[in-house]
Amino acid sequence: MAASDYHINQRLSYANSLCTVRYIGTVEGTSGEWLGVEWDEPARGKHSGEHAGKKYFDCMIHNSGSFIRPSRVTDPTLSFVQALRKKYIDHGDEDPNNPAQRPIEWGGKVVQEIGFDKIRKQLRKLQELRIVLIDGLQIDRADAEDLIQSTCPNIEELDLSRNRLESLQEVEKICRNLPNLRRLRLSGNRITSLDLDINPENPTTGFSTVTNLELEENLFSWDQISKILPYFPSVTSIDLSLNRLPCIPSTISGIPTSTIFPPKIDEIKLERNQFISLSSLAPLANLESLRKLLLAHNNISATHDDSAESTPTSPEDSNERKLVFPHVRYLDLSFNNIPTFAFIDELNAIFPDVEGMRISHNPVYHVPGMNSEEAHMLTVGRLGWKVRMLNFSTITMQERTNAELYYISKIVKEMAEVPPEREHEVTAKHSRWAELLKLHGRQYVNRDQNVEKQSLGRNLIRIEFVYNTTNTINKKIPKSTSVSALKGAVGRLFNAKPLHLSLKLVFDEPEKEIVLDDELRRLEHYVEDRVDVKMLVEAI
């Protein structure tokens, strides 16, 4: 083929590797014409559109470009129905490089295709198909309406990901003949033409029945997204992951960004983008129907952006910019860059009605000496009572009580290290302090450090810890230690979960056993003037 047979933004494929034409023409210092392409897989690229110091085209992803001769043979394309037949009807020699014969993957796991010949036989009746997965099959066009209608009219879920579709119009031509379509996947395409030929007398498009839309890894900008979403008025769940989005603008072409989303949008997935703060998502706070916000694998490290552009200039401006997502019920912030528990404290005000949260795999938990159980307790203690699910684990009432008492003990310890007149500085750093006092009562702060220094020996007690009747460790513990803090220490000693430990003191004279069941009481309340005791530790 000659260079004149190609066009800018054309989707090509070589040995099943997809790319997009970004340049057509000569390259200085070489003979003949070239195609400048950007590969979907950046590892295949050699540069970002330049040669010998001269720029010929831009790449959306750094170093993902290369030059190819127009004469190089491309993979053949298929229409929608051709791909459908190839996947579900046609036979041929087994070829592991043939996308139609690759194992089906669900959530990254390969589903073994046992008896697939039998399944293929059953799927010959294409009209009965409800779920159609024809991703990666070189599709670049629709078919005649009557052919689609007669071939597969009952499709409810359609995956057209990683194909060679360039125009949203071609996708709409397919979907308009699928009246039962509810779920549409268009991930991994590079659709550039977004205009639809709509009949003014009947503005309904083929996307009007779609409720779940996946647009992962299309490298769409918010301008492009704002043109696409109005075509999908019934969407309740949208996936915009892997689009390299750094923030959400407050307006697009003078229109508030929140208005571009369908009115019944319930779930928005923005994973693996480039967000660095929660305030960069502020326009989503205006979506009254939004219940689920998924932000895993970004680089979020702050609740608010400290840039000058986002800094309020007056109290009125500050109130207007107060960041609150009042309707969100589930939040996923896992695999981000959250640095401290202060960030978690702020979530109570920003997401006041959240009931479930995932926040694991963040730097805040990578603290030397803090095990996963302690991290979990501190997180539960800091989060409001409405949060009932954390990292896929249900928070029981007893677990919440224990976590809040443990958190209180940590705050009291901080307060003991400052003079009484500076206690407010400590409590100001813990947004739930006043609430916790109402729940669990006022707390006693012991500051008698001079006495402790003068009588260090009297304030330490030697404890023989016996774990599950077999494992024994001797340790000196301050008598001022609270039961909740003691459980944390014992958990670290025996690599056990503090919330699931029972502590029991055993005295020889007089012979008796005492269960340490008051999380706030100090050890001295139970041991009095003794200098050594035996303690049974049991996992419950």
Side-chain angles (χ1 to χ4, degrees), residues 202-358:
N202 182 20
T204 302
T205 73
F207 302 133
S208 61
T209 62
V210 175
T211 58
N212 293 73
L213 177 63
E214 296 184 21
L215 298 174
E216 283 191 19
E217 204 176 357
N218 280 280
L219 305 185
F220 284 140
S221 67
W222 281 107
D223 281 336
Q224 291 173 306
I225 294 169
S226 70
K227 294 177 181 178
I228 295 170
L229 291 185
Y231 298 136
F232 294 85
S234 303
V235 160
T236 60
S237 174
I238 185 168
D239 188 346
L240 295 170
S241 302
L242 287 163
N243 278 291
R244 304 173 72 84
L245 300 168
C247 65
I248 303 178
S250 58
T251 62
I252 299 175
S253 301
I255 299 173
T257 302
S258 59
T259 63
I260 72 171
F261 289 91
K264 296 181 180 179
I265 192 73
D266 174 81
E267 175 183 339
I268 298 178
K269 188 175 183 180
L270 288 163
E271 297 182 350
R272 298 181 187 276
N273 280 293
Q274 299 175 349
F275 299 105
I276 62 172
S277 70
L278 293 177
S279 60
S280 62
L281 299 139
L284 301 184
N286 297 320
L287 301 177
E288 294 185 1
S289 59
L290 182 60
R291 297 293 180 269
K292 196 171 186 179
L293 184 57
L294 308 177
L295 303 171
H297 294 278
N298 277 279
N299 195 32
I300 296 173
S301 61
T303 55
H304 294 76
D305 186 355
D306 292 330
S307 66
E309 184 179 346
S310 63
T311 303
T313 57
S314 68
E316 293 79 7
D317 190 29
S318 178
N319 289 333
E320 290 179 3
R321 297 193 182 192
K322 186 177 180 181
L323 186 63
V324 180
F325 294 77
H327 308 292
V328 173
R329 300 292 183 270
Y330 183 84
L331 175 68
D332 188 348
L333 286 168
S334 59
F335 296 96
N336 273 279
N337 198 28
I338 297 171
T340 65
F341 279 106
F343 180 104
I344 297 175
D345 289 339
E346 292 186 76
L347 295 180
N348 292 317
I350 297 174
F351 297 93
D353 278 342
V354 157
E355 298 172 356
M357 185 181 297
R358 189 182 181 206

Side-chain angles (χ1 to χ4, degrees), residues 63-103:
N63 219 40
S64 60
S66 65
F67 290 102
I68 291 176
R69 287 293 188 185
S71 58
R72 183 172 173 179
V73 178
T74 64
D75 297 330
T77 62
L78 295 175
S79 71
F80 168 69
V81 172
Q82 287 173 339
L84 191 69
R85 289 172 174 166
K86 181 175 182 177
K87 175 67 179 282
Y88 294 103
I89 293 180
D90 293 349
H91 290 277
D93 296 332
E94 292 298 321
D95 179 5
N97 295 318
N98 186 342
Q101 296 177 9
R102 291 176 185 169

Side-chain angles (χ1 to χ4, degrees), residues 353-385:
D353 278 342
V354 157
E355 298 172 356
M357 185 181 297
R358 189 182 181 206
I359 200 168
S360 56
H361 303 284
N362 274 285
V364 63
Y365 299 122
H366 304 159
V367 177
M370 182 172 66
N371 60 30
S372 59
E373 186 69 16
E374 183 180 5
H376 180 77
M377 290 176 68
L378 286 174
T379 304
V380 172
R382 288 171 178 266
L383 291 174
W385 61 270

Side-chain angles (χ1 to χ4, degrees), residues 135-146:
D135 53 312
L137 289 182
Q138 311 289 343
I139 301 170
D140 70 342
R141 62 193 181 277
D143 299 271
E145 291 191 8
D146 58 345

